């Protein structure tokens, strides 16, 4: 954790920014870089009856860290995604409950 | 937004209903048709040790709009999905927090 | 329901444990085995700029059942996943709202 589930941005694009982006996010979160999971999720998008490009969207799953860290996190991710030439990206955060998250069967 | 992540219904099936369904959903939500994201998510389902068809399921991600609009939204989606000959479909709504949803790094 | 969306564990591995695991989970939940949806979700994970194995992660979507049943559920899933030789697995539960979950257009 944090988990980042990425839609609408290609694997090579994410590879090209991943190392620096994760390093900056680890600073924002004051945690190690090995806590992050960065996963591209393939979906097939449909508009007007046709298959179309998927809109760039990232869902971040984590424990609540407050508005200031969330804003900073979104800022880092957005900056790196836009640096790829992607014109826009949306990011939504989803909060895991601490009483509902298990590592090897134990609450963490 | 709204996002619709669709499992267990084929891409051509969704293509065949997408234009009319999105038009009706835009009426329900009083927003433009270009706000909607319709994405088919491929998963591999397992039952009794065998790979099986995925149960038709749609997750709608959006901001809270209240019970009346939610019911109407589910009604439109269900009617179009059942028109495909799909015998049953489940729909779950997930609500994004307005303090946790960013467009190009800014809360929207 | 419950839905289990599985990342980072192969389809054949899940096939090999599915029948016994679902049977035990049905006991934990006091429901029939045909309520469960077990779906493997393919994602492409990236670390240090390279494509890497996806971390074993299971998201369980259901209605709230309380800590005791949740702990028991996580325990059953963890035991079966670790029995595959997978060294670690994380499980997160996400709760559906009963006013926001529809079967064929009707709240269930």
């Amino acid at each position: 954790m944090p988990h980042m589930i990425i839609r609408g941005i290609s694997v090579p694009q994410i590879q090209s920014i991943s190392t620096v982006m994760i390093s900056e996010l680890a600073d924002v979160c004051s945690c190690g870089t090995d806590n992050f999971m960065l996963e591209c999720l393939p979906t097939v998008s449909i508009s007007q009856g046709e298959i179309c490009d998927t809109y760039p969207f990232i869902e971040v799953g984590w424990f609540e860290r407050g508005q200031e860290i969330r804003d900073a996190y979104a800022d880092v991710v957005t900056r790196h995604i836009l640096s790829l030439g992607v014109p826009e990206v949306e990011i939504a955060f989803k909060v895991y409950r601490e009483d509902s998250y298990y590592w090897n069967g134990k609450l963490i």
Side-chain angles (χ1 to χ4, degrees), chain A residues 9 13-14 16-18 20-21 24 75-89:
Chain A
I9 305 168
Q13 285 177 306
I14 296 299
S16 73
I17 59 172
S18 65
V20 177
M21 182 176 71
E24 293 183 25
D75 191 63
V76 168
V77 174
T78 300
R79 183 161 38 78
H80 283 282
I81 298 298
L82 298 185
S83 79
L84 294 167
V86 173
E88 47 184 331
V89 60

Side-chain angles (χ1 to χ4, degrees), chain A residues 2-7 37 39 41 57-62 73 90-94 96:
Chain A
H3 305 248
M4 300 173 69
I5 303 291
I6 300 164
R7 290 154 28 207
M37 301 183 210
E39 299 179 46
L41 180 65
F57 186 83
I58 299 174
E59 188 174 67
V60 181
W62 68 355
Y73 196 109
E90 293 183 14
I91 303 171
F93 290 80
K94 90 172 162 186
Y96 293 121

Side-chain angles (χ1 to χ4, degrees), chain A residues 37-49:
Chain A
M37 301 183 210
L38 204 57
E39 299 179 46
C40 291
L41 180 65
T43 63
V44 179
S45 287
I46 297 160
S47 177
Q48 302 291 328

Side-chain angles (χ1 to χ4, degrees), chain A residues 62-67 70 93-98:
Chain A
W62 68 355
F63 291 145
E64 180 64 44
R65 283 183 163 88
Q67 190 73 51
R70 191 164 54 240
F93 290 80
K94 90 172 162 186
V95 170
Y96 293 121
R97 283 167 38 182
E98 307 206 3

